Structure formats: structure tokens, C-alpha cells
Amino acid sequence: GENVEQHPSTLSVQEGDSAVIKCTYSDSASNYFPWYKQELGKRPQLIIDIRSNVGEKKDQRIAVTLNKTAKHFSLHITETQPEDSAVYFCAACQTGANNLFFGTGTRLTVIP
Amino acid sequence: EAGVAQSPRYKIIEKRQSVAFWCNPISGHATLYWYQQILGQGPKLLIQFQNNGVVDDSQLPKDRFSAERLKGVDSTLKIQPAKLEDSAVYLCASSAYLGENTEAFFGQGTRLTVV
């Protein structure tokens, strides 16, 4: 199956700074890459996603980039706020198979 | 729309006992996933159903774990017998299909503690 690696495992930033989380995947057939945010004790929730025919996607302070050749994708959060503190998971999916494999997670702490 | 429902929310059992978790996906979602999330780690896919058929169970420890999805709707995940290392949150998720502007929706999870 797909193997998704995620770095860093923990990340602390000052409020207002940017945060970047990076993931790599192994299966070249993966073509859909969602990012989930999980707050303490809560369920993972989708925050942004990108398909393989797109190199970059932005939604307000959140952006995701994809390099399909290198099999890596990244999450960028600008102007971080304390409410951005959570665990973020990247995932890779083959839309035909509808599978969904997660990375190991990054615990982001935004320091006020 | 109603979300993915899971029960129980919490369960404490002794090792070697049995336990079962229940999941009711979002109505109309053909795909159902069970994940195991050990504290501090990412969700690990245990099994994926498409309707009532198994698509992927390669990471399911079949000597002790079993799952079924009767009639392609609700699903149960069973552990028999449980080991200490099975302590984790068991997440159920469902999706119609995955792609841009769609997503997999997760339940609240069942936190299992094996003592």
C-alpha cells in the first residue's frame, strides 16, 4: 500500500509567523492529497486538498503545493493564529480506489 | 447532514477480553473505513469497505481483529482477544467518493483502553 511520510513531527511558531509541513508519498498512482486538522480530543476534519493535475491551491491563509514528479506536497499556513494549534495530517489517495492513507502527523503550536 | 456515528465513545477492558465497536456512516456513502490511531500517531487504515465488500484489509491483524459491514450500511469492528497494544482510538470514516470538493468524514472515535 501507500506509504506517507510527514515532517516535522512537532512545530512551534510565534503568532503571525508562517508554518510549513511537508509530506512525501510512495505510490505514483496517488492523485488526490487532502490535509486534515485534528484538535485535541476531536475528529480529523478536512481543511484543504489538491488533485494531481494542480500544482498549488490556496484558501485564505492556507495553501498546499504539490510536486508530483518528486512525490511530495506541503501545507503552508501564513499569519498563524493560536487557534491554528492542532495536529495536522497529510494523506494520499487514489481516487479510483477511494483509499486514504495518512501521514504520521505534525503537532503545530502557535505561541501568542 | 447527519455525521458519522460511533459507539461506544469509551471502553476499558482487560487484556484477553473481547470488544466490539459500531459505526453508522453518512447515509448514501458507499465507502467505509476503520482506522486505528495510537496516541501521538497518524490514523492507520485497518480496513476499507466499498458497500458490503472489503477493498483493503492488508493491515488488519486478522488473528484477532474482524470487521463486517452487513447490507452495506452499518459496520462493526471486533477485537478478540485484546492485547495491551490495542489501546488506541478507533476511528470510523465514510465517503461517497474522494476527490476535490468531497471528503471523508470521520466519527468521534472510540477510545479503547486495554489494562
Side-chain angles (χ1 to χ4, degrees), chain A residues 36 38 43 95 97-98 100, chain B residues 31 33 35 37 48 98 104 106:
Chain A
Y36 282 77
Q38 187 175 30
R43 72 190 80 188
T95 53
N98 236 25
L100 190 60
Chain B
T31 306
Y33 315 82
Y35 289 90
Q37 187 174 25
Q48 176 185 343
L98 290 178
F106 283 83

Side-chain angles (χ1 to χ4, degrees), chain A residues 31-98:
Chain A
N31 58 356
Y32 169 67
F33 307 92
W35 285 86
Y36 282 77
K37 176 182 180 181
Q38 187 175 30
E39 297 178 7
L40 189 62
K42 296 188 177 180
R43 72 190 80 188
Q45 292 192 296
L46 181 74
I47 55 171
I48 195 168
D49 55 19
I50 190 167
R51 287 188 66 99
S52 59
N53 58 349
V54 175
E56 183 175 356
K57 182 177 178 180
K58 189 174 181 180
D59 181 6
Q60 300 183 342
R61 296 185 298 108
I62 296 174
V64 58
T65 59
L66 170 66
N67 184 327
K68 195 163 172 63
T69 302
K71 297 204 194 98
H72 66 72
F73 55 113
S74 301
L75 177 71
H76 305 253
I77 307 175
T78 58
E79 300 172 24
T80 53
Q81 301 169 2
E83 52 265 37
D84 295 330
S85 295
V87 179
Y88 292 80
F89 295 100
C90 61
C93 164
Q94 294 178 38
T95 53
N98 236 25

Side-chain angles (χ1 to χ4, degrees), chain B residues 39-108:
Chain B
L39 186 65
Q41 298 183 17
K44 171 188 168 185
L45 180 66
L46 293 176
I47 190 167
Q48 176 185 343
F49 291 96
Q50 184 73 15
N51 296 308
N52 61 347
V54 175
V55 173
D56 184 349
D57 63 357
S58 57
Q59 297 193 84
L60 187 74
K62 298 181 185 64
D63 58 333
R64 298 184 302 106
F65 285 64
S66 64
E68 60 182 9
R69 189 182 184 197
L70 300 176
K71 300 180 181 179
V73 182
D74 293 3
S75 177
T76 55
L77 176 69
K78 298 179 182 178
I79 308 175
Q80 180 180 10
K83 293 184 176 181
L84 296 176
E85 58 261 36
D86 297 332
S87 295
V89 174
Y90 290 84
L91 292 165
C92 179
S94 72
S95 72
Y97 64 93
L98 290 178
E100 198 167 11
N101 300 320
T102 67
E103 63 184 277
F105 292 87
F106 283 83
Q108 292 275 35

